[in-house]
Amino acid sequence: MLPKKRPPTHPGEMLLKEFLEPAGITQTQFSQHIGWTYARLNEIINGKRGVSADSALTLSEALGNTPQFWLNLQRNWELWHALQTHKEVKPLLLKAS
């Protein structure tokens, strides 16, 4: 369920606060370990880039969780932001055949 008053946690914030910082691993160390540029990792951590399916696979392998964990965080983030500006559409009434 999406929070109503605040945005869900961005996957980059989760990565930094729940995985890297508690383990004492810097962004530079982690980016080198997973074979990414520092810029790519930093953009995700700062919420300027989303987690793709490929990124989710890499993060899950490195951190011992699932790609679904990362993709669900990303989906919730995107959906919450879309809902902030979405204009509701009336349902299309389909005729029975």
Side-chain angles (χ1 to χ4, degrees):
M1 189 162 164
L2 294 175
K4 296 188 187 238
K5 298 186 180 191
R6 65 162 188 83
T9 303
H10 187 275
E13 181 181 357
M14 180 71 70
L15 174 60
L16 181 65
K17 299 294 183 183
E18 299 296 327
F19 293 92
L20 300 184
E21 286 181 350
I25 299 170
T26 67
Q27 290 182 49
T28 300
Q29 291 169 323
F30 190 64
S31 64
Q32 289 171 348
H33 176 78
I34 61 176
W36 289 359
T37 63
Y38 174 85
R40 179 180 178 183
L41 178 63
N42 185 258
E43 286 172 0
I44 290 173
I45 285 176
N46 288 315
K48 296 180 180 181
R49 182 179 191 147
V51 171
S52 65
D54 181 63
S55 298
L57 287 167
T58 299
L59 293 172
S60 69
E61 290 167 351
L63 299 169
N65 51 27
T66 67
Q68 291 83 357
F69 173 80
W70 298 105
L71 291 175
N72 287 338
L73 287 170
Q74 186 65 44
R75 180 202 59 213
N76 290 344
W77 173 262
E78 290 175 11
L79 184 57
W80 187 90
H81 283 279
L83 285 168
Q84 303 314 299
T85 57
H86 178 71
K87 303 237 186 292
E88 194 170 329
V89 174
K90 292 180 185 179
L92 178 64
L93 299 177
L94 301 174
K95 294 180 186 179
S97 335

XYZ file of all heavy atoms in Angstrom:
782
model
N 0.842 -1.180 0.000
C 0.000 0.000 0.000
C 0.884 1.240 0.000
O 1.864 1.308 0.742
C -0.899 -0.034 1.223
C -1.940 1.012 1.220
S -3.208 0.523 2.410
C -4.010 2.052 2.571
N 0.505 2.191 -0.815
C 1.291 3.406 -0.926
C 0.943 4.380 0.194
O -0.233 4.528 0.539
C 1.013 4.087 -2.265
C 1.453 3.352 -3.513
C 0.995 4.098 -4.754
C 2.952 3.173 -3.540
N 1.946 5.075 0.743
C 1.627 6.104 1.732
C 0.872 7.237 1.047
O 1.057 7.491 -0.131
C 2.992 6.559 2.238
C 3.978 6.107 1.234
C 3.365 4.951 0.504
N 0.003 7.921 1.784
C -0.808 8.980 1.183
C -0.168 10.357 1.309
O -0.307 11.175 0.422
C -2.187 8.981 1.800
C -2.930 7.699 1.488
C -4.358 7.759 1.920
C -4.961 6.409 1.739
N -6.054 6.245 0.936
N 0.502 10.620 2.400
C 0.981 11.977 2.667
C 2.451 12.205 2.335
O 2.874 13.332 2.224
C 0.724 12.332 4.121
C -0.755 12.330 4.444
C -1.028 12.821 5.821
C -2.519 12.772 6.059
N -2.950 13.427 7.236
N 3.196 11.146 2.176
C 4.618 11.305 1.859
C 4.999 10.297 0.785
O 4.398 9.233 0.684
C 5.486 11.108 3.097
C 5.423 9.704 3.643
C 6.592 9.393 4.573
N 6.604 8.004 4.938
C 7.125 7.021 4.206
N 7.690 7.272 3.062
N 7.096 5.768 4.618
N 5.989 10.635 -0.006
C 6.398 9.672 -1.037
C 7.014 8.428 -0.412
O 7.604 8.489 0.667
C 7.450 10.423 -1.854
C 7.750 11.677 -1.142
C 6.752 11.862 -0.046
N 6.876 7.282 -1.085
C 7.564 6.083 -0.604
C 9.072 6.293 -0.663
O 9.559 7.198 -1.338
C 7.147 4.996 -1.599
C 6.032 5.560 -2.393
C 6.113 7.041 -2.295
N 9.784 5.447 -0.002
C 11.240 5.539 -0.010
C 11.771 5.193 -1.395
O 11.401 4.177 -1.972
C 11.827 4.570 1.033
O 11.271 4.902 2.303
C 13.343 4.654 1.091
N 12.629 6.058 -1.903
C 13.277 5.793 -3.195
C 14.274 4.644 -2.993
O 14.919 4.545 -1.944
C 14.001 7.040 -3.692
C 14.544 6.899 -5.068
N 15.767 6.339 -5.327
C 14.013 7.228 -6.274
C 15.974 6.332 -6.632
N 14.923 6.869 -7.232
N 14.416 3.767 -3.991
C 15.361 2.651 -3.835
C 16.792 3.094 -3.546
O 17.527 2.409 -2.839
C 15.268 1.887 -5.154
C 14.408 2.676 -6.056
C 13.703 3.705 -5.254
N 17.180 4.249 -4.057
C 18.523 4.744 -3.777
C 18.734 5.103 -2.322
O 19.793 4.849 -1.742
N 17.715 5.697 -1.712
C 17.799 6.023 -0.289
C 17.857 4.744 0.537
O 18.621 4.636 1.496
C 16.590 6.866 0.130
C 16.621 7.261 1.584
C 15.423 8.077 2.023
O 14.554 8.411 1.191
O 15.361 8.383 3.226
N 17.054 3.753 0.150
C 17.075 2.461 0.837
C 18.459 1.825 0.722
O 18.994 1.309 1.712
C 16.017 1.539 0.228
C 15.945 0.177 0.860
S 15.269 0.149 2.522
C 13.560 0.519 2.194
N 19.031 1.858 -0.453
C 20.358 1.295 -0.679
C 21.389 1.939 0.242
O 22.157 1.256 0.913
C 20.762 1.469 -2.142
C 22.179 1.070 -2.533
C 22.441 -0.401 -2.244
C 22.411 1.380 -4.004
N 21.370 3.247 0.298
C 22.353 3.970 1.110
C 22.122 3.752 2.601
O 23.048 3.362 3.324
C 22.301 5.464 0.786
C 23.301 6.340 1.540
C 24.736 5.985 1.152
C 23.019 7.810 1.277
N 20.898 3.999 3.057
C 20.620 4.010 4.503
C 20.500 2.627 5.135
O 20.809 2.458 6.313
C 19.337 4.803 4.786
C 19.398 6.252 4.354
C 20.406 7.015 5.157
C 20.410 8.481 4.771
N 21.443 9.230 5.493
N 20.048 1.646 4.374
C 19.809 0.326 4.958
C 20.884 -0.702 4.615
O 20.945 -1.759 5.237
C 18.442 -0.206 4.519
C 17.275 0.660 4.959
C 17.101 0.730 6.469
O 17.396 -0.260 7.158
O 16.686 1.801 6.953
N 21.697 -0.407 3.616
C 22.699 -1.391 3.198
C 24.127 -0.845 3.277
O 24.962 -1.421 3.969
C 22.392 -1.900 1.778
C 21.133 -2.704 1.699
C 19.916 -2.098 1.389
C 21.138 -4.065 1.961
C 18.744 -2.835 1.327
C 19.968 -4.820 1.906
C 18.772 -4.194 1.594
N 24.405 0.229 2.560
C 25.798 0.705 2.493
C 26.278 1.323 3.798
O 27.329 0.933 4.321
C 25.969 1.687 1.335
C 25.655 1.143 -0.061
C 25.970 2.194 -1.119
C 26.398 -0.151 -0.331
N 25.543 2.286 4.330
C 25.989 2.957 5.559
C 26.139 1.994 6.737
O 27.169 2.025 7.412
C 25.072 4.130 5.903
C 25.290 5.322 4.994
C 24.408 6.515 5.332
O 23.474 6.383 6.158
O 24.657 7.583 4.752
N 25.151 1.129 7.008
C 25.331 0.200 8.139
C 26.529 -0.734 7.967
O 27.136 -1.148 8.950
C 24.018 -0.596 8.165
C 23.013 0.275 7.504
C 23.784 1.025 6.456
N 26.871 -1.057 6.724
C 28.002 -1.960 6.474
C 29.329 -1.201 6.391
O 30.383 -1.830 6.268
C 27.767 -2.728 5.173
N 29.281 0.128 6.447
C 30.502 0.923 6.361
C 31.134 0.898 4.970
O 32.349 1.016 4.846
N 30.311 0.745 3.948
C 30.807 0.673 2.570
C 30.524 1.996 1.879
O 29.387 2.490 1.905
C 30.123 -0.484 1.802
C 30.438 -1.815 2.478
C 30.531 -0.495 0.341
C 29.628 -2.983 1.964
N 31.524 2.565 1.240
C 31.335 3.821 0.527
C 30.721 3.559 -0.845
O 30.769 2.439 -1.369
C 32.670 4.560 0.326
O 33.490 3.791 -0.574
C 33.393 4.796 1.650
N 30.201 4.613 -1.424
C 29.662 4.504 -2.781
C 30.763 4.098 -3.759
O 30.517 3.298 -4.671
C 29.042 5.830 -3.216
C 27.766 6.166 -2.487
C 27.146 7.449 -2.977
O 26.992 7.654 -4.184
N 26.769 8.329 -2.052
N 31.941 4.619 -3.568
C 33.062 4.272 -4.451
C 33.387 2.791 -4.342
O 33.538 2.106 -5.357
C 34.303 5.120 -4.106
O 33.966 6.508 -4.271
C 35.481 4.768 -4.990
N 33.475 2.284 -3.131
C 33.773 0.864 -2.932
C 32.694 -0.018 -3.554
O 32.997 -1.000 -4.222
C 33.897 0.546 -1.433
C 35.110 1.133 -0.777
C 35.028 1.013 0.744
O 33.966 1.151 1.347
N 36.179 0.766 1.365
N 31.444 0.343 -3.322
C 30.348 -0.480 -3.838
C 30.283 -0.424 -5.358
O 30.099 -1.453 -6.011
C 29.015 -0.055 -3.215
C 27.898 -1.014 -3.507
C 27.935 -2.322 -3.043
C 26.793 -0.613 -4.250
C 26.902 -3.218 -3.311
C 25.759 -1.490 -4.526
C 25.814 -2.797 -4.053
N 30.456 0.760 -5.929
C 30.405 0.865 -7.395
C 31.523 0.046 -8.034
O 31.309 -0.613 -9.056
C 30.459 2.330 -7.848
O 31.681 2.927 -7.499
N 32.685 0.031 -7.432
C 33.783 -0.786 -7.956
C 33.461 -2.274 -7.819
O 33.729 -3.058 -8.728
C 35.086 -0.453 -7.236
C 35.632 0.902 -7.600
C 36.808 1.333 -6.738
O 37.106 0.732 -5.706
N 37.466 2.405 -7.153
N 32.872 -2.655 -6.704
C 32.541 -4.065 -6.469
C 31.556 -4.594 -7.509
O 31.686 -5.730 -7.968
C 31.968 -4.245 -5.060
C 31.524 -5.646 -4.777
N 32.415 -6.654 -4.466
C 30.290 -6.219 -4.787
C 31.748 -7.779 -4.295
N 30.453 -7.550 -4.488
N 30.562 -3.779 -7.860
C 29.529 -4.259 -8.789
C 29.819 -3.889 -10.242
O 29.049 -4.250 -11.135
C 28.119 -3.787 -8.369
C 28.017 -2.264 -8.347
C 27.726 -4.403 -7.042
C 26.623 -1.737 -8.029
N 30.903 -3.180 -10.488
C 31.294 -2.868 -11.860
C 30.522 -1.730 -12.505
O 30.392 -1.683 -13.726
N 30.012 -0.823 -11.690
C 29.312 0.350 -12.202
C 30.222 1.565 -12.070
O 31.152 1.570 -11.252
C 28.063 0.644 -11.389
C 26.935 -0.306 -11.557
C 26.867 -1.409 -12.359
C 25.686 -0.234 -10.875
N 25.653 -2.022 -12.220
C 24.905 -1.322 -11.314
C 25.147 0.634 -9.933
C 23.601 -1.551 -10.849
C 23.870 0.402 -9.472
C 23.107 -0.674 -9.927
N 29.900 2.610 -12.822
C 30.591 3.872 -12.598
C 30.055 4.472 -11.294
O 28.909 4.199 -10.900
C 30.350 4.876 -13.745
O 28.954 5.192 -13.795
C 30.837 4.317 -15.081
N 30.875 5.284 -10.676
C 30.428 5.986 -9.477
C 29.200 6.835 -9.805
O 28.244 6.894 -9.027
C 31.560 6.868 -8.925
C 31.112 7.734 -7.779
C 31.094 7.244 -6.488
C 30.681 9.047 -8.002
C 30.666 8.030 -5.433
C 30.247 9.839 -6.958
C 30.238 9.333 -5.664
O 29.802 10.104 -4.628
N 29.218 7.482 -10.973
C 28.117 8.365 -11.362
C 26.790 7.606 -11.422
O 25.762 8.103 -10.951
C 28.410 9.028 -12.703
N 26.786 6.426 -11.989
C 25.552 5.633 -12.087
C 24.996 5.326 -10.702
O 23.805 5.514 -10.444
C 25.818 4.334 -12.850
C 24.610 3.436 -12.970
C 24.928 2.177 -13.738
N 23.770 1.287 -13.813
C 23.794 0.094 -14.371
N 24.906 -0.361 -14.921
N 22.704 -0.643 -14.388
N 25.839 4.849 -9.815
C 25.395 4.530 -8.462
C 24.929 5.789 -7.734
O 23.871 5.795 -7.099
C 26.528 3.856 -7.676
C 26.198 3.512 -6.229
C 25.065 2.496 -6.157
C 27.434 2.990 -5.514
N 25.682 6.856 -7.840
C 25.353 8.096 -7.150
C 24.027 8.681 -7.640
O 23.258 9.221 -6.846
C 26.493 9.102 -7.313
C 26.265 10.347 -6.515
O 25.871 11.369 -7.060
N 26.508 10.262 -5.212
N 23.751 8.571 -8.922
C 22.469 9.061 -9.449
C 21.302 8.262 -8.872
O 20.250 8.828 -8.570
C 22.457 8.985 -10.972
C 23.312 10.049 -11.626
C 23.468 9.865 -13.128
O 22.917 8.891 -13.693
O 24.142 10.704 -13.733
N 21.468 6.962 -8.712
C 20.412 6.149 -8.095
C 20.253 6.545 -6.635
O 19.136 6.782 -6.156
C 20.712 4.638 -8.232
C 20.564 4.204 -9.697
C 19.792 3.814 -7.323
C 20.998 2.777 -9.982
N 21.351 6.658 -5.921
C 21.294 7.004 -4.503
C 20.652 8.370 -4.283
O 19.893 8.561 -3.335
C 22.696 6.918 -3.868
C 23.044 5.435 -3.683
C 22.778 7.682 -2.553
C 24.419 5.147 -3.160
N 20.892 9.304 -5.183
C 20.330 10.650 -5.046
C 18.953 10.806 -5.686
O 18.426 11.908 -5.761
C 21.306 11.684 -5.601
C 22.495 11.850 -4.695
O 22.355 11.947 -3.477
N 23.682 11.848 -5.260
N 18.366 9.708 -6.147
C 17.020 9.755 -6.695
C 16.916 10.399 -8.059
O 15.832 10.743 -8.505
N 18.045 10.546 -8.743
C 18.043 11.154 -10.075
C 17.974 10.105 -11.176
O 17.882 10.442 -12.341
C 19.290 12.017 -10.252
C 19.304 13.190 -9.296
C 20.520 14.052 -9.457
C 20.424 15.195 -8.455
N 21.538 16.099 -8.552
N 18.013 8.857 -10.776
C 17.953 7.738 -11.708
C 17.195 6.619 -11.033
O 17.320 6.405 -9.827
C 19.391 7.296 -12.035
C 19.510 6.187 -13.030
C 20.989 5.882 -13.259
N 21.144 5.000 -14.384
C 22.168 5.026 -15.222
N 23.128 5.904 -15.063
N 22.244 4.179 -16.203
N 16.422 5.900 -11.815
C 15.652 4.802 -11.278
C 16.412 3.493 -11.341
O 17.481 3.396 -11.950
N 15.853 2.498 -10.706
C 16.416 1.153 -10.730
C 15.753 0.380 -11.866
O 14.536 0.182 -11.862
C 16.193 0.438 -9.382
C 16.581 -1.023 -9.459
C 16.972 1.138 -8.279
N 16.537 -0.026 -12.841
C 16.050 -0.826 -13.967
C 16.062 -2.302 -13.564
O 16.596 -2.669 -12.515
C 16.956 -0.622 -15.178
O 18.251 -1.142 -14.903
N 15.512 -3.144 -14.434
C 15.540 -4.583 -14.172
C 16.981 -5.079 -14.069
O 17.317 -5.879 -13.186
C 14.785 -5.334 -15.264
N 17.840 -4.594 -14.946
C 19.248 -4.988 -14.906
C 19.913 -4.538 -13.613
O 20.659 -5.299 -12.988
C 19.983 -4.406 -16.122
C 21.441 -4.807 -16.158
O 21.712 -6.022 -16.264
O 22.303 -3.911 -16.059
N 19.633 -3.307 -13.200
C 20.187 -2.801 -11.939
C 19.684 -3.621 -10.760
O 20.439 -3.927 -9.836
C 19.792 -1.336 -11.725
O 20.315 -0.516 -12.732
N 18.399 -3.976 -10.794
C 17.811 -4.767 -9.710
C 18.489 -6.129 -9.590
O 18.737 -6.611 -8.476
C 16.312 -4.940 -9.938
N 18.815 -6.734 -10.721
C 19.531 -8.020 -10.688
C 20.900 -7.865 -10.036
O 21.295 -8.662 -9.187
C 19.678 -8.579 -12.104
C 18.412 -9.141 -12.729
C 18.620 -9.369 -14.218
C 17.992 -10.418 -12.031
N 21.620 -6.827 -10.424
C 22.957 -6.593 -9.867
C 22.883 -6.318 -8.367
O 23.649 -6.901 -7.581
C 23.639 -5.414 -10.587
O 23.766 -5.745 -11.969
C 25.002 -5.112 -10.000
N 21.969 -5.443 -7.960
C 21.845 -5.120 -6.539
C 21.462 -6.351 -5.722
O 22.004 -6.574 -4.641
C 20.813 -4.003 -6.337
C 21.197 -2.637 -6.891
C 20.018 -1.677 -6.808
C 22.416 -2.068 -6.184
N 20.550 -7.138 -6.245
C 20.117 -8.320 -5.493
C 21.235 -9.344 -5.344
O 21.383 -9.965 -4.296
C 18.889 -8.954 -6.136
O 19.199 -9.542 -7.381
N 22.025 -9.512 -6.391
C 23.153 -10.452 -6.308
C 24.194 -9.974 -5.306
O 24.707 -10.759 -4.506
C 23.790 -10.624 -7.684
C 22.927 -11.380 -8.661
C 23.406 -11.302 -10.104
O 24.330 -10.520 -10.415
O 22.838 -12.032 -10.926
N 24.478 -8.679 -5.331
C 25.507 -8.139 -4.437
C 25.055 -8.098 -2.982
O 25.867 -8.266 -2.076
C 25.917 -6.738 -4.896
N 23.758 -7.886 -2.767
C 23.281 -7.649 -1.407
C 22.475 -8.802 -0.819
O 22.021 -8.735 0.326
C 22.454 -6.357 -1.380
C 23.261 -5.118 -1.786
C 22.339 -3.934 -2.007
C 24.332 -4.807 -0.761
N 22.289 -9.863 -1.601
C 21.635 -11.057 -1.069
C 20.138 -10.939 -0.877
O 19.583 -11.589 0.006
N 19.491 -10.099 -1.679
C 18.032 -10.057 -1.632
C 17.497 -10.332 -3.035
O 18.212 -10.908 -3.840
C 17.526 -8.733 -1.032
C 18.151 -7.521 -1.681
O 18.553 -7.562 -2.835
N 18.254 -6.435 -0.939
N 16.286 -9.938 -3.337
C 15.705 -10.281 -4.633
C 15.618 -9.071 -5.546
O 15.520 -7.931 -5.071
C 14.283 -10.849 -4.459
O 13.422 -9.803 -3.967
C 14.268 -12.037 -3.507
N 15.613 -9.297 -6.863
C 15.405 -8.178 -7.773
C 14.006 -7.569 -7.579
O 13.820 -6.364 -7.761
C 15.566 -8.782 -9.167
C 15.642 -10.247 -8.998
C 15.893 -10.543 -7.564
N 13.048 -8.391 -7.170
C 11.696 -7.888 -6.939
C 11.668 -6.830 -5.831
O 10.896 -5.875 -5.893
C 10.738 -9.041 -6.581
C 10.454 -9.977 -7.724
C 11.523 -11.055 -7.931
O 12.548 -11.096 -7.244
N 11.289 -11.940 -8.889
N 12.527 -7.011 -4.827
C 12.618 -6.017 -3.754
C 12.913 -4.639 -4.331
O 12.239 -3.657 -4.026
C 13.709 -6.440 -2.757
C 14.014 -5.412 -1.713
C 13.194 -5.277 -0.611
C 15.138 -4.592 -1.822
C 13.483 -4.324 0.373
C 15.425 -3.645 -0.851
C 14.589 -3.512 0.253
N 13.920 -4.567 -5.192
C 14.337 -3.284 -5.772
C 13.317 -2.751 -6.771
O 13.023 -1.555 -6.794
C 15.719 -3.422 -6.418
C 16.727 -3.778 -5.387
C 17.300 -4.993 -5.176
C 17.243 -2.915 -4.360
N 18.137 -4.943 -4.085
C 18.116 -3.683 -3.573
C 17.037 -1.583 -4.034
C 18.795 -3.144 -2.473
C 17.714 -1.045 -2.949
C 18.575 -1.832 -2.185
N 12.746 -3.640 -7.584
C 11.759 -3.203 -8.565
C 10.464 -2.747 -7.888
O 9.812 -1.810 -8.364
C 11.482 -4.302 -9.577
C 12.644 -4.612 -10.518
C 12.312 -5.799 -11.404
C 13.014 -3.392 -11.357
N 10.087 -3.377 -6.797
C 8.896 -2.938 -6.057
C 9.100 -1.555 -5.456
O 8.187 -0.720 -5.479
C 8.519 -3.937 -4.966
C 7.906 -5.195 -5.522
O 7.389 -5.218 -6.640
N 7.962 -6.267 -4.743
N 10.286 -1.299 -4.917
C 10.578 0.042 -4.411
C 10.457 1.078 -5.533
O 9.871 2.152 -5.345
C 11.987 0.105 -3.820
C 12.219 -0.589 -2.490
C 13.709 -0.643 -2.167
C 11.458 0.115 -1.374
N 11.028 0.753 -6.698
C 10.982 1.676 -7.831
C 9.555 1.888 -8.312
O 9.128 3.010 -8.565
C 11.852 1.151 -8.981
C 11.979 2.123 -10.141
C 12.708 3.398 -9.764
O 13.727 3.365 -9.088
N 12.186 4.532 -10.180
N 8.787 0.792 -8.428
C 7.390 0.883 -8.871
C 6.574 1.761 -7.924
O 5.816 2.640 -8.354
C 6.781 -0.510 -8.939
C 5.318 -0.500 -9.400
C 4.561 -1.735 -8.980
N 4.583 -1.847 -7.524
C 4.608 -2.982 -6.854
N 4.625 -4.133 -7.483
N 4.628 -2.991 -5.541
N 6.727 1.548 -6.627
C 5.976 2.338 -5.652
C 6.328 3.813 -5.743
O 5.458 4.675 -5.650
C 6.220 1.820 -4.233
C 5.583 0.475 -3.996
O 4.715 0.039 -4.755
N 6.022 -0.200 -2.946
N 7.619 4.099 -5.929
C 8.084 5.478 -6.066
C 7.438 6.137 -7.288
O 6.882 7.234 -7.203
C 9.608 5.488 -6.190
C 10.199 6.817 -6.493
C 10.571 7.286 -7.713
C 10.502 7.865 -5.567
N 11.077 8.550 -7.603
C 11.046 8.931 -6.292
C 10.357 7.995 -4.198
C 11.446 10.119 -5.692
C 10.768 9.179 -3.598
C 11.300 10.218 -4.341
N 7.496 5.469 -8.415
C 6.959 6.033 -9.652
C 5.436 6.182 -9.596
O 4.891 7.203 -10.028
C 7.357 5.165 -10.841
C 8.834 5.235 -11.151
C 9.265 4.289 -12.258
O 8.397 3.709 -12.949
O 10.484 4.128 -12.433
N 4.752 5.182 -9.075
C 3.302 5.233 -9.004
C 2.832 6.354 -8.090
O 1.907 7.101 -8.418
C 2.752 3.881 -8.533
C 1.233 3.750 -8.503
C 0.624 4.030 -9.870
C 0.848 2.358 -8.024
N 3.461 6.521 -6.945
C 3.076 7.586 -6.017
C 3.221 8.949 -6.692
O 2.333 9.784 -6.603
C 3.932 7.537 -4.746
C 3.447 8.498 -3.697
C 2.528 8.230 -2.719
C 3.838 9.862 -3.516
N 2.334 9.345 -1.951
C 3.129 10.372 -2.415
C 4.719 10.707 -4.178
C 3.260 11.673 -1.957
C 4.863 12.016 -3.739
C 4.132 12.491 -2.628
N 4.335 9.160 -7.395
C 4.549 10.443 -8.060
C 3.562 10.650 -9.210
O 3.077 11.768 -9.419
C 6.001 10.570 -8.527
C 6.920 10.881 -7.387
N 7.085 12.141 -6.872
C 7.683 10.078 -6.623
C 7.914 12.113 -5.860
N 8.295 10.862 -5.680
N 3.233 9.600 -9.942
C 2.250 9.715 -11.022
C 0.874 10.070 -10.461
O 0.134 10.867 -11.059
C 2.191 8.420 -11.818
N 0.530 9.499 -9.323
C -0.769 9.774 -8.713
C -0.926 11.226 -8.276
O -2.044 11.728 -8.168
C -0.995 8.855 -7.508
C -1.344 7.411 -7.844
C -1.261 6.529 -6.602
C -2.726 7.325 -8.480
N 0.182 11.908 -8.051
C 0.112 13.302 -7.591
C -0.442 14.232 -8.668
O -1.012 15.273 -8.354
C 1.488 13.781 -7.117
C 2.109 12.938 -6.025
C 1.151 12.582 -4.910
O 0.626 13.452 -4.223
N 0.908 11.299 -4.727
N -0.273 13.874 -9.921
C -0.724 14.742 -11.012
C -1.744 14.072 -11.935
O -2.207 14.687 -12.886
C 0.478 15.197 -11.853
O 1.164 14.040 -12.344
C 1.438 16.052 -11.033
N -2.086 12.828 -11.643
C -2.990 12.076 -12.513
C -4.399 12.652 -12.494
O -4.925 12.992 -11.448
C -3.035 10.610 -12.065
C -3.972 9.776 -12.866
N -3.714 9.423 -14.166
C -5.183 9.261 -12.560
C -4.717 8.696 -14.627
N -5.623 8.583 -13.666
N -4.985 12.761 -13.670
C -6.381 13.166 -13.804
C -7.197 11.908 -14.091
O -6.935 11.204 -15.049
C -6.530 14.169 -14.943
C -5.656 15.398 -14.769
C -6.491 16.640 -14.772
C -5.659 17.900 -14.747
N -4.944 18.174 -13.585
N -8.179 11.659 -13.247
C -8.971 10.431 -13.354
C -9.765 10.401 -14.658
O -10.254 11.423 -15.130
C -9.913 10.330 -12.166
C -10.521 8.962 -12.006
C -11.254 8.819 -10.688
O -10.867 9.453 -9.700
O -12.217 8.027 -10.670
N -9.878 9.220 -15.218
C -10.620 8.992 -16.451
C -11.833 8.139 -16.122
O -11.726 7.168 -15.364
C -9.726 8.278 -17.493
C -10.509 7.898 -18.732
C -8.520 9.134 -17.830
N -12.978 8.496 -16.707
C -14.186 7.700 -16.487
C -14.005 6.324 -17.130
O -13.384 6.205 -18.191
C -15.402 8.383 -17.107
C -15.794 9.660 -16.415
C -17.006 10.270 -17.104
C -17.324 11.609 -16.487
N -18.476 12.249 -17.147
N -14.578 5.287 -16.510
C -14.471 3.944 -17.101
C -15.168 3.884 -18.461
O -16.183 4.547 -18.680
C -15.196 3.040 -16.109
C -15.294 3.838 -14.837
C -15.265 5.278 -15.230
N -14.619 3.114 -19.362
C -15.212 2.887 -20.662
C -16.280 1.815 -20.516
O -16.029 0.745 -19.977
C -14.123 2.409 -21.645
C -14.573 2.065 -23.053
C -15.119 3.290 -23.766
C -13.402 1.478 -23.834
N -17.473 2.115 -20.956
C -18.567 1.150 -20.873
C -18.566 0.319 -22.146
O -18.764 0.837 -23.242
C -19.896 1.867 -20.696
C -20.004 2.726 -19.431
C -21.338 3.456 -19.393
C -19.833 1.871 -18.184
N -18.323 -0.949 -22.001
C -18.275 -1.852 -23.142
C -19.614 -2.559 -23.298
O -20.210 -2.993 -22.314
C -17.152 -2.879 -22.945
C -15.744 -2.305 -22.778
C -14.766 -3.420 -22.457
C -15.314 -1.585 -24.053
N -20.045 -2.677 -24.541
C -21.304 -3.379 -24.826
C -21.053 -4.880 -24.766
O -20.031 -5.363 -25.241
C -21.825 -3.002 -26.207
C -22.224 -1.563 -26.324
C -22.727 -1.274 -27.722
C -22.997 0.209 -27.865
N -23.472 0.529 -29.209
N -22.001 -5.607 -24.215
C -21.894 -7.057 -24.171
C -22.164 -7.612 -25.563
O -23.012 -7.119 -26.291
C -22.889 -7.641 -23.180
N -21.452 -8.660 -25.961
C -21.658 -9.217 -27.299
C -22.809 -10.169 -27.327
O -23.104 -10.926 -26.528
C -20.452 -9.972 -27.813
O -19.279 -9.580 -27.272
